[in-house]
Amino acid sequence: MKSKKASAFMSKFLFYFGNIVIGIIFVSPLIWMISASLKPESLIFANMNSITTFLPAQASLDNYFEVFRRINMVNVFKNTILYIALILIFDLIVNSICGYALAKFEFRGKKMIMTLVVALMVMPMEAILLPLYIEMSQLGWVNTLQALVVPFIAKCFSLYMFQNFFRDIPNDLLEAAAIDGSNPIGTFFKIVMPISKTVYATVFILDFVAHWNDFMWPFLVMTGEDKRTIQLAVQSFFSTSPVHYSAIMASLVVSAIPMIVMFIFMQKYYVEGIASSGIKG
């Protein structure tokens, strides 16, 4: 009996210990970045072979003050949050409605549409960057908010996530709503959406992170400095003299704060959404 308890305790200990070690390994670059952002330029790459490199020697906030002196971060955050908010609003509404139709309605061409959606999911963004940019240029949308928002309203991955989640909603629930006199649109907004918070939160998080970190597309279509997004602002520290890695680390920390805060408060819904949508890593 004691040997079984000892074996169970050892298994649990090794499980948690292993997870802690893996967690530290994954978090260590973030810890080093935060530490480097608080150090003087001359000490950033000192003692790289020692654990002390993770400790902010002579810590100060001077690097953060430099970031805000060199860049109008308030305007940068406003630009980034505005365009991401518009994408998220349209994405969550349009793709959830389309996903619901593909999950719960029968119509000609439904299987072909889903096959096309899955096929387009594997197409990398780089494959369509040039034709998409040419299209934006011909529409006169370069350096406008439309160029950042419109191409990303309809998303195959978001549609696939919603379709998978809505497919598992019991038909009896929808039939009961129809018997009570609810039309399909009313059923969707009054019944389906309130019970689908997890998938909405999952799509929200994935979209937010993807567009917050997006550099290539904003770099192509946003040419005005007053319309820069957060990643374009961070990149400017690499191309503007003098290049200070301490300021670069501080700008990276500032750019990462919204994502970290959002994920801390929404990780529960994210995990539930991934599990319930049938997507496994």
Side-chain angles (χ1 to χ4, degrees), residues 150-174:
V150 174
F152 301 101
I153 291 176
K155 288 187 180 151
C156 293
F157 184 76
S158 298
L159 195 155
Y160 180 76
M161 288 277 291
F162 282 117
Q163 191 268 347
N164 266 270
F165 186 90
F166 293 148
R167 189 178 56 187
D168 294 332
I169 294 178
N171 291 327
D172 293 344
L173 180 64
L174 307 180

Side-chain angles (χ1 to χ4, degrees), residues 100-264:
Y100 179 69
L102 288 169
K104 292 302 181 182
F105 294 97
E106 296 297 330
F107 52 89
R108 183 179 298 179
K110 173 180 173 179
K111 291 184 179 179
M112 184 177 68
I113 292 174
M114 279 308 303
T115 301
L116 182 63
V117 167
V118 175
L120 290 174
M121 282 172 58
V122 302
M123 180 179 292
M125 180 64 184
E126 290 78 5
I128 62 171
L129 273 178
L130 181 58
L132 190 58
Y133 176 80
I134 293 173
E135 184 178 355
M136 295 297 104
S137 179
Q138 291 176 343
L139 290 171
W141 285 1
V142 174
N143 203 34
T144 66
L145 191 60
Q146 298 95 300
L148 287 176
V149 176
V150 174
F152 301 101
I153 291 176
K155 288 187 180 151
C156 293
F157 184 76
S158 298
L159 195 155
Y160 180 76
M161 288 277 291
F162 282 117
Q163 191 268 347
N164 266 270
F165 186 90
F166 293 148
R167 189 178 56 187
D168 294 332
I169 294 178
N171 291 327
D172 293 344
L173 180 64
L174 307 180
E175 292 170 359
I179 292 173
D180 289 339
S182 177
N183 57 43
I185 297 177
T187 300
F188 176 76
F189 284 102
K190 295 178 182 178
I191 297 177
V192 175
M193 286 185 70
I195 63 174
S196 306
K197 294 178 182 178
T198 54
V199 69
Y200 277 96
T202 303
V203 173
F204 177 93
I205 293 172
L206 294 176
D207 266 8
F208 185 93
V209 172
H211 290 289
W212 188 269
N213 290 328
D214 190 16
F215 168 77
M216 183 58 68
W217 182 245
F219 177 74
L220 288 176
V221 298
M222 303 306 287
T223 57
E225 287 194 8
D226 60 325
K227 297 183 179 181
R228 285 187 299 184
T229 61
I230 186 67
Q231 298 307 322
L232 296 181
V234 171
Q235 189 274 340
S236 68
F237 282 93
F238 291 90
S239 57
T240 304
S241 297
V243 177
H244 291 159
Y245 286 98
S246 54
I248 290 173
M249 295 303 167
S251 67
L252 290 172
V253 172
V254 171
S255 70
I257 289 174
M259 288 191 298
I260 295 172
V261 172
M262 178 203 60
F263 193 79
I264 288 174

